[in-house]
Amino acid sequence: MNTIGLIAFAFVGSSKAIREEFDLLGITIVGLAMAFAGGATRDLLVTRIPLALQSPIEVGLGLLGVALAIALSVILTAPETHPLTLVADAIGLAAFTTTGAIVASEAGVSALGIVAIGTINAVGGGAFADILLDRSPFILFEDFYASCAVLGGSVYWIVATFEIAGGMAAVACAVVTVVTRFVAITYDVTLPTLQALRRVGN
Amino acid sequence: MNTIGLIAFAFVGSSKAIREEFDLLGITIVGLAMAFAGGATRDLLVTRIPLALQSPIEVGLGLLGVALAIALSVILTAPETHPLTLVADAIGLAAFTTTGAIVASEAGVSALGIVAIGTINAVGGGAFADILLDRSPFILFEDFYASCAVLGGSVYWIVATFEIAGGMAAVACAVVTVVTRFVAITYDVTLPTLQALRRVGN
Amino acid sequence: MNTIGLIAFAFVGSSKAIREEFDLLGITIVGLAMAFAGGATRDLLVTRIPLALQSPIEVGLGLLGVALAIALSVILTAPETHPLTLVADAIGLAAFTTTGAIVASEAGVSALGIVAIGTINAVGGGAFADILLDRSPFILFEDFYASCAVLGGSVYWIVATFEIAGGMAAVACAVVTVVTRFVAITYDVTLPTLQALRRVGN
């Protein structure tokens, strides 16, 4: 799952950079930033050297995502919204939330720390890529996306608190994240803005 | 004082996000980012796990600030410029500068490091919130705001160098920061741009 | 070389902030951010306290760059594109890439980690300064600039793998970075965007 996530995230980041007419290095950097900035932040928060800097395989998967984005940009105009991309991205979201929650839990942070690090691991890369593209991170005002990571991280903490058998929290976190994300994509679920809530109220 | 600061900072961040029509999660994230990003950066710079990830109470205070912003947004259009907000924010600025200076001083960094970490702790969250809102950090071109933290941090270092009784540096830092900020608000003090200096020169 | 780099980077950052009409503190912060954010990120990635926070001399050199930018802004309108600035900046780029590669290599990261940390050390400050100025980092779509650091870092790794005599990798890295950058400036080399490649293809 982590493998799919790395490729999907790098692919989405690079596709956005291509549309902004960044040069080849810019495309590579935005793709790698989207794939690795979340995990690097997670590792910094628990004060260890980012895993991606030590594992050539992980970086290789990111570069594969970048290459795919360049290759497919000839055929597709917005490959990051293709159904297959959305599915791969949802799997990556679930994998990254779960990894983040596990790392946080091992570092002994509080319940809210587990949710925070799970979410940062999952959406931090995408947020950083958007900052590089000079926009507000899309997770803050569009889509039911980071919310899935928040839900998954919360479920991780609840299950981890009560669980008997090991590993159940990780499975529950991954399932909740990916299922809520699929539901959100299928039914076009979004979180409301306060302005929208007020219009409903009137 | 730190308590007031956390609530005030989260409140200001969330209020800005509401005005940008971010969704409920975006409002929460920007509020928490404003309250905690400065402290997290401070902790990363002295290589320790951010305190906020270990203390549920701190995050609770941040969430209280977010809830206040949502509640008051019904009544006020720009609650972050309300006099009470400015006072609470100034107290937070002083509290955060002082905490940052203490942590830096314990980590054994240089004099300029103390000023830098005090200032980053105080204004880093606000700067990061502005980046999330896709603007230049307001502290860089508006107001006499970060300057108060720079002054407070400098005073901390001077007093700490000469002090006999413990704790005096912290008190002096907090007082200088909050007083200069109150003076700046009352008399509308701003630092000049070079362009403004040149116009005066002609 | 590192000395020249610190002054040049702070000078370029401050000059950009002056043109954006930031106030005096903003000019200082953007200049220091450009000089030190890359190195601070490098140190965070290998989990140690940033050197700049411990060395008053380094910060002093940064402040000298800021002061130069303020002084020269009276005479020149775009001092950051002056030939002398470009030369000093290229030397800084080479010095920072080399320092980053050495630190990464000592921290025992992978080959790609060496290239990544060398590049981040060299161009991270400039990228962060551009984010503070609310633009996309220029390194992502303009110029053959970060590419020189990527080439230099790669050469460092190759030479370090085969070298017999110590220090050869550092020399090779610095020479490759500075020479490719000079060539890029002289002949106006840029990396193509995919859009440009396609226009050539038709």
Side-chain angles (χ1 to χ4, degrees):
Chain A
M1 276 178 78
N2 221 37
T3 305
I4 297 173
L6 282 173
I7 300 174
F9 280 17
F11 178 78
V12 172
S14 291
S15 296
K16 286 183 179 181
I18 290 170
R19 215 115 52 77
E20 292 286 322
E21 310 214 356
F22 280 18
D23 67 26
L24 285 173
L25 185 74
I27 294 166
T28 309
I29 290 179
V30 176
L32 295 182
M34 174 135 187
F36 296 111
T41 308
R42 172 203 67 201
D43 287 335
L44 291 183
L45 289 173
V46 301
T47 65
R48 66 180 202 192
I49 296 185
L51 207 64
L53 292 174
Q54 298 174 297
S55 155
I57 297 164
E58 292 225 331
V59 182
L61 291 172
L63 290 172
L64 178 60
V66 173
L68 275 175
I70 293 173
L72 289 179
S73 74
V74 184
I75 320 172
L76 302 165
T77 42
E80 72 271 31
T81 57
H82 190 278
L84 198 62
T85 311
L86 290 179
V87 170
D89 186 83
I91 294 171
L93 187 73
F96 279 43
T97 306
T98 310
T99 323
I102 292 172
V103 170
S105 163
E106 281 167 0
V109 302
S110 71
L112 286 163
I114 291 174
V115 178
I117 293 186
T119 306
I120 287 170
N121 193 28
V123 308
F128 185 58
D130 282 337
I131 290 174
L132 289 178
L133 296 161
D134 194 22
R135 358 174 143 156
S136 277
F138 75 99
I139 53 152
L140 299 178
F141 53 92
E142 247 177 50
D143 258 354
F144 197 81
Y145 186 87
S147 313
C148 307
V150 172
L151 289 175
S154 309
V155 165
Y156 182 96
W157 168 68
I158 294 169
V159 176
T161 308
F162 296 107
E163 91 175 312
I164 307 157
M168 224 200 307
V171 173
C173 170
V175 170
V176 166
T177 309
V178 82
V179 168
T180 51
R181 181 63 190 139
F182 279 154
V183 169
I185 295 172
T186 314
Y187 297 101
D188 213 7
V189 178
T190 56
L191 271 188
T193 61
L194 284 187
Q195 286 78 0
L197 285 179
R198 248 167 253 158
R199 277 195 294 276
V200 172
N202 292 337
Chain B
M1 276 178 77
N2 221 36
T3 305
I4 296 173
L6 282 173
I7 299 174
F9 280 18
F11 178 79
V12 172
S14 290
S15 296
K16 286 184 179 181
I18 290 170
R19 213 115 50 79
E20 292 286 322
E21 309 214 358
F22 280 17
D23 67 27
L24 285 173
L25 186 73
I27 293 166
T28 309
I29 290 180
V30 176
L32 294 182
M34 174 136 186
F36 296 112
T41 309
R42 172 204 67 202
D43 287 336
L44 291 182
L45 289 173
V46 300
T47 65
R48 66 180 202 194
I49 297 185
L51 207 64
L53 291 175
Q54 299 174 296
S55 156
I57 297 164
E58 294 226 329
V59 182
L61 292 172
L63 289 173
L64 177 60
V66 173
L68 274 175
I70 293 174
L72 290 179
S73 72
V74 184
I75 319 172
L76 302 164
T77 44
E80 74 270 31
T81 57
H82 190 277
L84 197 63
T85 311
L86 290 179
V87 170
D89 186 82
I91 294 172
L93 187 73
F96 279 44
T97 306
T98 311
T99 323
I102 293 172
V103 170
S105 164
E106 282 167 0
V109 301
S110 72
L112 285 163
I114 291 174
V115 178
I117 292 185
T119 306
I120 287 170
N121 194 29
V123 306
F128 185 58
D130 282 338
I131 290 175
L132 290 178
L133 296 161
D134 195 21
R135 358 175 142 155
S136 276
F138 76 99
I139 54 153
L140 298 178
F141 53 92
E142 248 176 51
D143 258 353
F144 197 80
Y145 186 87
S147 314
C148 307
V150 172
L151 289 174
S154 308
V155 165
Y156 182 96
W157 169 67
I158 294 167
V159 176
T161 307
F162 296 107
E163 90 174 313
I164 307 159
M168 223 199 309
V171 173
C173 170
V175 169
V176 167
T177 309
V178 83
V179 167
T180 51
R181 180 65 190 138
F182 279 153
V183 169
I185 295 172
T186 314
Y187 297 99
D188 212 8
V189 179
T190 56
L191 272 188
T193 61
L194 284 187
Q195 286 79 0
L197 285 179
R198 248 167 253 156
R199 277 194 295 276
V200 172
N202 292 338
Chain C
M1 278 178 75
N2 221 36
T3 305
I4 297 173
L6 282 173
I7 299 174
F9 280 19
F11 178 78
V12 172
S14 290
S15 296
K16 287 183 178 181
I18 290 170
R19 214 114 51 78
E20 292 286 322
E21 310 213 358
F22 280 16
D23 67 27
L24 285 174
L25 185 74
I27 294 166
T28 309
I29 289 179
V30 176
L32 294 182
M34 175 136 185
F36 296 111
T41 308
R42 172 203 67 201
D43 287 336
L44 291 183
L45 289 174
V46 300
T47 65
R48 65 180 202 193
I49 297 185
L51 208 64
L53 292 174
Q54 299 174 297
S55 156
I57 296 164
E58 293 226 331
V59 182
L61 291 172
L63 290 172
L64 177 61
V66 173
L68 274 175
I70 293 174
L72 289 180
S73 74
V74 184
I75 319 172
L76 302 164
T77 43
E80 73 270 32
T81 57
H82 190 277
L84 198 63
T85 311
L86 289 179
V87 170
D89 186 83
I91 293 171
L93 187 73
F96 279 44
T97 305
T98 310
T99 323
I102 292 171
V103 170
S105 163
E106 282 167 359
V109 302
S110 72
L112 285 164
I114 292 175
V115 178
I117 293 185
T119 307
I120 287 170
N121 193 29
V123 306
F128 186 58
D130 282 338
I131 290 174
L132 290 178
L133 296 161
D134 195 22
R135 359 174 141 156
S136 277
F138 76 98
I139 54 153
L140 298 178
F141 53 91
E142 247 177 51
D143 258 355
F144 197 81
Y145 186 88
S147 313
C148 307
V150 171
L151 289 175
S154 308
V155 165
Y156 182 96
W157 169 68
I158 294 168
V159 176
T161 308
F162 297 105
E163 90 174 311
I164 307 156
M168 224 200 306
V171 174
C173 171
V175 169
V176 166
T177 309
V178 82
V179 167
T180 52
R181 181 63 189 139
F182 279 153
V183 170
I185 296 172
T186 315
Y187 298 100
D188 211 9
V189 178
T190 55
L191 271 188
T193 61
L194 284 188
Q195 286 80 358
L197 284 179
R198 248 168 253 156
R199 278 193 295 276
V200 172
N202 292 337

